[in-house]
Amino acid sequence: MPEFKDRLKECRQAKGLRQQDAAEQLGIIYRTYRRYETGETEPTISVAAQLADFYGVSLDYLAGRNDQPT
Protein backbone atom coordinates (compact mmCIF):
# COMPACT_ATOMS: atom_id res chain seq x y z
CA MET A 1 0.00 0.00 0.00
CA PRO A 2 1.44 3.41 -0.98
CA GLU A 3 2.28 5.77 1.83
CA PHE A 4 0.89 9.28 2.21
CA LYS A 5 4.26 10.85 1.46
CA ASP A 6 4.58 8.94 -1.82
CA ARG A 7 1.09 9.85 -3.01
CA LEU A 8 1.63 13.49 -2.06
CA LYS A 9 4.82 13.66 -4.11
CA GLU A 10 3.14 11.86 -7.01
CA CYS A 11 0.24 14.34 -7.02
CA ARG A 12 2.56 17.34 -6.88
CA GLN A 13 4.71 16.06 -9.73
CA ALA A 14 1.62 15.31 -11.83
CA LYS A 15 0.70 19.00 -11.52
CA GLY A 16 4.22 19.99 -12.54
CA LEU A 17 4.89 21.87 -9.33
CA ARG A 18 7.99 22.23 -7.21
CA GLN A 19 7.57 21.72 -3.47
CA GLN A 20 8.02 25.46 -2.94
CA ASP A 21 5.31 26.28 -5.49
CA ALA A 22 2.84 23.86 -3.93
CA ALA A 23 3.55 25.19 -0.44
CA GLU A 24 3.02 28.79 -1.56
CA GLN A 25 -0.23 28.01 -3.35
CA LEU A 26 -1.49 26.12 -0.31
CA GLY A 27 -0.37 28.76 2.19
CA ILE A 28 1.86 26.24 3.95
CA ILE A 29 5.43 26.90 5.08
CA TYR A 30 7.79 25.29 2.57
CA ARG A 31 9.75 23.41 5.25
CA THR A 32 6.53 21.92 6.60
CA TYR A 33 5.39 20.81 3.16
CA ARG A 34 8.78 19.24 2.48
CA ARG A 35 8.51 17.28 5.73
CA TYR A 36 5.15 15.90 4.60
CA GLU A 37 6.77 14.57 1.43
CA THR A 38 9.79 13.10 3.21
CA GLY A 39 7.61 11.45 5.83
CA GLU A 40 9.24 13.33 8.71
CA THR A 41 5.80 14.45 9.81
CA GLU A 42 2.19 14.00 8.76
CA PRO A 43 -0.41 16.74 8.41
CA THR A 44 -3.46 17.14 10.57
CA ILE A 45 -6.65 15.76 9.08
CA SER A 46 -7.79 19.26 8.10
CA VAL A 47 -4.52 19.97 6.27
CA ALA A 48 -4.63 16.53 4.63
CA ALA A 49 -8.14 17.33 3.38
CA GLN A 50 -6.87 20.68 2.05
CA LEU A 51 -4.07 18.85 0.22
CA ALA A 52 -6.52 16.35 -1.27
CA ASP A 53 -8.78 19.17 -2.47
CA PHE A 54 -5.84 21.07 -3.94
CA TYR A 55 -4.71 18.05 -5.93
CA GLY A 56 -8.24 17.03 -6.89
CA VAL A 57 -8.05 13.59 -5.29
CA SER A 58 -9.89 11.90 -2.47
CA LEU A 59 -8.44 11.80 1.01
CA ASP A 60 -8.54 7.99 0.84
CA TYR A 61 -6.39 8.09 -2.31
CA LEU A 62 -3.89 10.46 -0.74
CA ALA A 63 -3.71 8.28 2.36
CA GLY A 64 -3.09 5.19 0.22
CA ARG A 65 -6.38 3.53 1.17
CA ASN A 66 -7.75 3.57 -2.37
CA ASP A 67 -6.13 3.38 -5.80
CA GLN A 68 -8.80 5.50 -7.51
CA PRO A 69 -7.89 9.22 -7.32
CA THR A 70 -11.51 10.36 -7.09
Side-chain angles (χ1 to χ4, degrees), residues 35-55:
R35 287 179 178 161
Y36 295 156
E37 277 198 17
T38 61
E40 291 176 55
T41 189
E42 290 190 355
T44 62
I45 191 71
S46 60
V47 172
Q50 179 186 4
L51 291 165
D53 288 346
F54 178 75
Y55 289 118

Side-chain angles (χ1 to χ4, degrees), residues 8-46:
L8 183 61
K9 183 176 181 179
E10 173 188 304
C11 288
R12 176 183 56 78
Q13 290 175 335
K15 275 192 120 175
L17 297 172
R18 298 177 308 145
Q19 288 179 337
Q20 176 112 15
D21 299 330
E24 287 175 7
Q25 290 182 33
L26 286 157
I28 297 173
I29 297 169
Y30 164 67
R31 182 177 56 232
T32 302
Y33 185 91
R34 181 180 46 112
R35 287 179 178 161
Y36 295 156
E37 277 198 17
T38 61
E40 291 176 55
T41 189
E42 290 190 355
T44 62
I45 191 71
S46 60

